[in-house]
Amino acid sequence: MTAHPGSGGVLHGGPVDLVPQRVADRLAARIGAGHLTQVRAPVRKERSANAWFRGTAAGREVFVKLYARRDRAATERLVAPAVGPSRSTRLLDTGTDPELGAYAVFGWEDLVPLPPTAESAAVAGHLLATVHETVPPGGIRHLTPGQEQLDAQLSALAAEAPDLYGPIRDRQARAAPAARVREAGRRAATAPRVLLHGDFSLRNVARGAGGRELVFDFERAAVGPYEVDLRRLWDRELAVIPGGRAAFTAAYRRGRGTDPGPPDPVLLDFARLSCAVTTLTAARRTDDPDFEAEGLTILEALR
């Protein structure tokens, strides 16, 4: 494994498969664990850029995340305690190893994924409301949806997948004309801002011990309009659950301290378009045709 620029560690930023045992052993020594075993994604699609480990430290079972990027480790270190252990896994320790990079230690919980049902959509809506009602800690990046952000994302797509860039640019112009993108920027400038999860989906919610409903993985958290957090699950998950969008939205609005009303359609469409472009870029970077198909599906839904 080669170092990722700026990470100072062993992970290269692509989906992680099996890491050398020396990585687990050094990390175990670092956190005072007798032994760590790597936790591998059950299917290719669920792989992460981070490496995950399980073991026992200080007499309790722990889950250890080794990050590909230090900035994301720093973000999770700030946000996880702010959301709190009643609604998330418990963050026990963090640190940086000069060879491995940044890591975090969480209390281990046997988490049960939520099935694709309207009830689960409602649970997800309530959990996202919990995140959005959390006061953003200092040091979290602010998102500024609009033309400048989209231009940067399209440039990254052009560099990674020039064969996709032209057709996507043309389809984007039909799905979200420049005037609509400018309008999204104007609305984003005045919309209430909340603590965003940053990568919200049914993959990042589950039931823990005693049926506790949990949300986790805050490394991409930011501050911005709440519609940004709907960008992935709106087309990828909620659209295929009968009544999913309605159940999610109703539970989300009930869970907020002040009802924000239904999602702003202009901001939501911009968030979906942005998600499609970044999904396609990441899919080409990691050679993941299934992920690429998801990006194209979002674009098709925007037509």
Side-chain angles (χ1 to χ4, degrees):
M1 306 181 80
T2 57
H4 180 61
S7 72
V10 296
L11 303 183
H12 54 69
V16 172
D17 193 11
L18 183 65
V19 303
Q21 184 59 39
R22 65 173 179 81
V23 175
D25 293 343
R26 183 177 176 107
L27 194 55
R30 188 82 185 182
I31 69 169
H35 180 74
L36 288 179
T37 301
Q38 185 177 354
V39 178
R40 299 174 68 185
V43 295
R44 183 178 186 273
K45 183 179 178 180
E46 295 182 6
R47 288 187 302 169
S48 168
N50 305 316
W52 309 318
F53 305 87
R54 180 180 181 179
T56 302
R60 66 179 300 170
E61 281 194 276
V62 295
F63 173 82
V64 184
K65 182 188 289 189
L66 180 64
Y67 296 86
R69 291 176 49 167
R70 289 191 181 187
D71 59 333
R72 292 182 177 172
T75 296
E76 186 145 56
R77 184 174 65 243
L78 292 170
V79 174
V83 174
S86 67
R87 284 299 185 191
S88 189
T89 50
R90 185 182 296 274
L91 178 64
L92 303 176
D93 191 18
T94 63
T96 302
D97 181 277
E99 177 185 341
L100 303 181
Y103 61 87
V105 183
F106 298 86
W108 174 268
E109 284 198 52
D110 289 314
L111 301 180
V112 179
L114 301 184
T117 64
E119 179 187 1
S120 296
V123 170
H126 180 72
L127 288 171
L128 186 60
T130 297
V131 177
H132 290 178
E133 285 295 301
T134 301
V135 177
I140 302 299
R141 67 192 174 103
H142 284 243
L143 293 180
T144 53
Q147 189 66 57
E148 184 176 350
Q149 175 191 341
L150 185 61
D151 286 345
Q153 292 168 341
L154 286 168
S155 294
L157 177 64
E160 197 67 46
D163 61 307
L164 279 178
Y165 171 69
I168 297 305
R169 178 197 57 205
D170 295 341
R171 187 181 296 189
Q172 172 262 317
R174 295 192 298 271
R180 194 164 175 84
V181 173
R182 288 195 297 271
E183 177 62 19
R186 285 193 291 269
R187 295 190 187 193
T190 58
R193 292 182 160 251
V194 299
L195 175 64
L196 300 168
H197 179 279
D199 189 29
F200 191 76
S201 76
L202 290 181
R203 286 181 57 189
N204 293 326
V205 296
R207 283 194 172 88
R212 290 168 59 244
E213 296 162 349
L214 305 175
V215 55
F216 42 87
D217 282 351
F218 300 107
E219 63 186 82
R220 297 174 188 259
V223 173
Y226 85 86
E227 289 85 357
V228 173
D229 260 344
L230 307 185
R231 57 186 180 176
R232 285 206 179 281
L233 81 167
W234 197 258
D235 295 290
R236 188 177 68 182
E237 294 170 330
L238 295 181
V240 300
I241 296 174
R245 287 176 175 171
F248 173 90
T249 303
Y252 174 81
R253 293 175 63 180
R254 288 195 303 270
R256 293 292 305 274
T258 301
D259 183 359
D264 183 310
V266 175
L267 289 175
L268 179 57
D269 282 356
F270 180 86
R272 295 162 68 200
L273 174 62
S274 171
C275 177
V277 174
T278 56
T279 296
L280 291 168
T281 304
R284 280 300 180 88
R285 184 179 299 125
T286 58
D287 190 26
D288 188 337
D290 291 338
F291 202 37
E292 184 172 316
E294 289 182 6
L296 294 173
T297 295
I298 297 172
L299 284 175
E300 194 66 29
L302 283 167
R303 291 182 63 180

